[in-house]
Amino acid sequence: MTPARVVTIFGGSSPFFPALAESLARHAAGLPSLVVRLYGRDEGRLGVVGGFCSRMAQHRDTPHRYEWTTDLDRACEGLDLAVNLIRAGGLEGRHFDETAPLKWGIPGDETLGPGGLGSAVRGVRLAIDIGGAVRRHSPDARFMNLANPLGILVAALTDVLGPGVFGLCELPETTLIRVAELCGVSRSRIDFEYLGINHQGFFTKLAEGDRDLFPILLESLLASGDPWQLGFDPSLLTRLRMLPLSYLRLHFHPEREVAHAKKRARSRARELSALSDVILKDLARGSGEELPASLSGRAMPWHDLAVVPTIAACLGGAPTRQFVTKSWERGLGGLGAGAVLEVPAMVDEGALTPTFDRIPRSLPSEAREYLDAALRFEILARRAAEAPDLRSLEMALDACPMVGTAGSAKEIAREILAHCQPIRTPPGAHRHANTL
């Protein structure tokens, strides 16, 4: 009998995790037998989440056994695959990232700009601690990072663990699905070229055979009654002749995004925090026969589109084409070798291989200028996050494309330093473990 493969979920106490467990159960036929080990700091939440997932696996008769632990060493033993979901600082940290930059007229986000720097300060040292524990106990395990700021954490983890580290995001794929709908074509027929960094990428080609889809997309947007539905003024898209990912609206339309954020009754982080409290209560009393209805309050398309197919591929299942963030050995799109870039790639058990015919050989000047600046910011942000002080944070902010002249880098750096501190794994460690 083939032994079960071990997958550890760092951040496994999240009340949103059972949605991923349910996706694993639905796709069990394409997966080996699994031991899914949940790691978190809160024993009570781990017990609720792990207990529900165990009950669900039993109801569905899937070969997935759930364990949970607050012991980092135990979490890292005998791993085949590590999956990082940890939001360092929790949803309160995300609330800071979303709201603090607004006072300088800069949109807030946990990946881009000053908010991304605050998120990095909280999360980089924690990722390094976890990566070190994985290296000690399971040096051959692959490491999939889903946590933000994704590219910065991938760079930090790569330095600890080597080339087995990668990040994963479904946003480029959901963008292509939306383009297909707007253009009235099948997603499978779209020929594209894409290159970027996580949440900050550009589709430089969109076609169906010899037919350029870009004019059709613009025409569809203008006729739709909601021309901004992809996040951008169509006149900007006409000028760029590229389609940026939706998060780049924060860069291209900052005043509009700041105005929208200030009109919100509460931040997205606060909305998710309230929802997670409801979900946790529902999980505690749930039989496991089905997911609580409260979990539908957050759309999570990444599970079916990206995470579960990639877990299967890494464990010997069918290879899958995904959009992968990694430190690539060779230069891509005219960007330097070793840069942490998001590109279309084939994932299988043994390798991550860029899909070169889907990557532009060179970038249009505006995309190249933006990505050069964003990559420099991420490098400086990662360095600052390892040992944050006023000078290092200010240097990173001076390089940030979203800061520019909108505010004082020194003032923003002081704000980050006052509210964001590196989070570390707890000392000592053998505290609690449970298996069902």
Side-chain angles (χ1 to χ4, degrees):
M1 184 175 181
T2 304
R5 309 295 293 274
V6 180
V7 179
T8 285
I9 309 294
F10 295 100
S13 59
S14 168
F16 298 106
F17 172 74
L20 174 53
E22 192 274 338
S23 184
L24 289 170
R26 276 190 290 106
H27 295 91
L31 291 160
S33 297
L34 297 177
V35 174
V36 184
R37 191 177 294 150
L38 309 182
Y39 170 79
R41 297 187 179 199
D42 187 317
E43 294 180 14
R45 288 166 66 99
L46 273 173
V48 170
V49 174
F52 180 87
C53 293
S54 292
R55 295 192 295 275
M56 181 166 60
Q58 291 166 2
H59 274 292
R60 300 194 180 197
D61 196 27
T62 55
H64 302 165
R65 188 175 87 247
Y66 282 85
E67 303 176 352
W68 51 98
T69 183
T70 58
D71 178 342
L72 181 60
D73 290 321
R74 169 61 184 143
C76 295
E77 291 172 355
L79 289 190
D80 294 292
L81 177 67
V83 180
N84 184 34
L85 305 178
I86 293 176
R87 174 177 281 114
L91 288 166
E92 275 306 298
R94 176 171 170 171
H95 174 74
F96 172 85
D97 302 337
E98 291 176 348
T99 58
L102 300 177
K103 68 178 74 174
W104 288 282
I106 302 170
D109 182 74
E110 65 178 341
T111 300
L112 284 69
L117 180 55
S119 180
V121 168
R122 296 190 305 272
V124 163
R125 288 301 316 176
L126 179 60
I128 291 171
D129 287 348
I130 290 171
V134 172
R135 183 181 61 191
R136 289 193 304 273
H137 295 286
S138 301
D140 296 326
R142 295 172 88 173
F143 197 111
M144 183 197 306
N145 181 59
L146 306 178
N148 289 321
L150 190 142
I152 294 173
L153 296 185
V154 165
L157 285 160
T158 298
D159 277 358
V160 177
L161 288 166
V165 175
F166 65 98
L168 190 69
C169 184
E170 89 297 343
L171 181 59
E173 180 61 31
T174 58
T175 301
L176 285 173
I177 291 169
R178 188 72 192 110
V179 167
E181 292 169 348
L182 285 165
C183 294
V185 301
S186 167
R187 159 63 186 94
S188 64
R189 292 181 60 82
I190 293 181
D191 182 17
F192 67 89
E193 291 181 357
Y194 173 86
L195 180 62
I197 58 181
N198 180 244
H199 288 177
Q200 302 166 75
F202 297 86
F203 285 98
T204 59
K205 176 183 178 180
L206 293 167
E208 182 191 31
D210 294 332
R211 185 168 66 136
D212 184 0
L213 291 179
F214 203 77
I216 299 168
L217 176 63
L218 287 171
E219 183 179 345
S220 179
L221 287 170
L222 291 170
S224 70
D226 183 14
W228 285 73
Q229 63 183 278
L230 295 181
F232 304 99
D233 185 339
S235 65
L236 172 75
L237 300 180
T238 300
R239 176 175 66 79
L240 291 176
R241 293 294 301 175
M242 299 179 288
L243 179 61
L245 293 184
S246 59
Y247 276 80
L248 281 171
R249 70 190 187 277
L250 278 67
H251 169 71
F252 287 110
H253 303 301
E255 293 181 0
R256 175 184 171 94
E257 293 302 314
V258 168
H260 283 173
K262 288 182 174 180
K263 288 178 183 177
R264 294 181 70 113
R266 55 183 176 175
S267 68
R268 178 59 173 159
R270 290 281 168 83
E271 291 174 351
L272 290 175
S273 181
L275 178 60
S276 67
D277 290 342
V278 174
I279 293 170
L280 196 65
K281 292 177 182 177
D282 290 344
L283 294 174
R285 56 178 175 252
S287 67
E289 291 187 62
E290 57 186 22
L291 288 176
S294 51
L295 262 170
S296 65
R298 184 189 190 191
M300 292 176 269
W302 49 87
H303 294 152
D304 285 352
L305 285 175
V307 180
V308 172
T310 301
I311 290 174
C314 287
L315 299 179
T320 180
R321 295 183 185 274
Q322 296 292 337
F323 290 85
V324 172
T325 294
K326 193 179 185 303
S327 175
W328 302 99
E329 292 182 359
R330 61 178 286 183
L332 297 170
L335 300 171
V340 177
L341 299 172
E342 182 175 70
V343 304
M346 178 66 75
V347 184
D348 62 29
E349 186 174 21
L352 295 165
T353 307
T355 310
F356 292 107
D357 62 348
R358 301 291 194 184
I359 301 169
R361 293 187 177 183
S362 62
L363 287 162
S365 59
E366 194 158 352
R368 174 63 184 265
E369 289 170 8
Y370 177 85
L371 289 174
D372 279 341
L375 284 166
R376 175 166 172 75
F377 166 66
E378 291 208 342
I379 290 168
L380 292 172
R382 181 262 177 107
R383 291 176 185 167
E386 290 194 27
D389 58 27
L390 188 62
R391 177 173 171 75
S392 64
L393 294 172
E394 186 178 354
M395 286 179 62
L397 289 163
D398 279 335
C400 178
M402 287 177 60
V403 174
T405 59
S408 165
K410 184 170 289 186
E411 290 178 8
I412 301 171
R414 286 196 183 103
E415 184 88 353
I416 292 172
L417 204 56
H419 291 89
C420 302
Q421 296 298 319
I423 294 172
R424 306 296 300 269
T425 53
H430 296 283
R431 296 194 294 153
H432 173 82
N434 202 333
T435 304
L436 283 181

